[in-house]
Amino acid sequence: MTQVLFGFFFAFITAAVVIAGDFVLKLAADNGKPLWSGYVFAGVAIYGVSAIFWFYAMRHVTLAQAGVAYSMLTLLALCVIGVVWFDEQIFLREYLGIACALAAMVLMMRIA
């Protein structure tokens, strides 16, 4: 049980770090920054840090479990950031996708 909790913890940390990188890259894209800007390099560096946490996540849970946890958190957080920070809209299709992601997380949990 402890292994699974460690695995999900590291998957969630990975997602949080990637979300920070996504946010920086979105700022760069929306502000017309060039590919070689500091924003883009910062986003790429943040992604690199996430690989360390991902490695530890995969040591404690299956790749499928880590992948679903990571995807679910990333999906939810990026939807919230898009709506709150970037004034994007979420439609029925996105709400259904969120529901499917949550259902997948429940189905993929394997308590050993």
Side-chain angles (χ1 to χ4, degrees), residues 12 16 19 25 31 49 53 55 68 70-72 77-78 83 89 91 101 104:
F12 288 138
I19 289 163
L25 290 174
N31 292 316
V49 170
F53 294 111
F55 169 79
V68 169
Y70 165 83
S71 298
M72 188 248 342
L78 291 177
V83 168
Q89 292 184 337
F91 298 101

Side-chain angles (χ1 to χ4, degrees), residues 7-112:
F8 285 129
F9 170 76
F10 284 117
F12 288 138
I13 294 297
T14 301
V17 171
V18 168
I19 289 163
D22 287 343
F23 182 78
V24 171
L25 290 174
K26 178 67 172 168
L27 286 175
D30 281 359
N31 292 316
K33 301 290 184 189
L35 185 60
W36 54 89
S37 72
Y39 280 94
V40 174
F41 286 126
V44 169
I46 292 169
Y47 282 155
V49 170
S50 75
I52 296 166
F53 294 111
W54 189 241
F55 169 79
Y56 285 108
M58 291 188 294
R59 292 187 80 175
H60 299 287
V61 293
T62 67
L63 183 58
Q65 289 173 313
V68 169
Y70 165 83
S71 298
M72 188 248 342
L73 180 62
T74 302
L75 171 72
L76 293 175
L78 291 177
C79 285
V80 169
I81 290 170
V83 168
V84 172
W85 192 274
F86 297 105
D87 295 322
E88 298 173 351
Q89 292 184 337
I90 295 180
F91 298 101
L92 178 61
R93 182 178 61 171
E94 286 88 2
Y95 284 115
L96 293 173
I98 291 167
C100 288
L102 294 173
M105 182 65 193
V106 171
L107 291 172
M108 291 298 296
M109 289 187 67
R110 184 185 321 162
I111 306 301

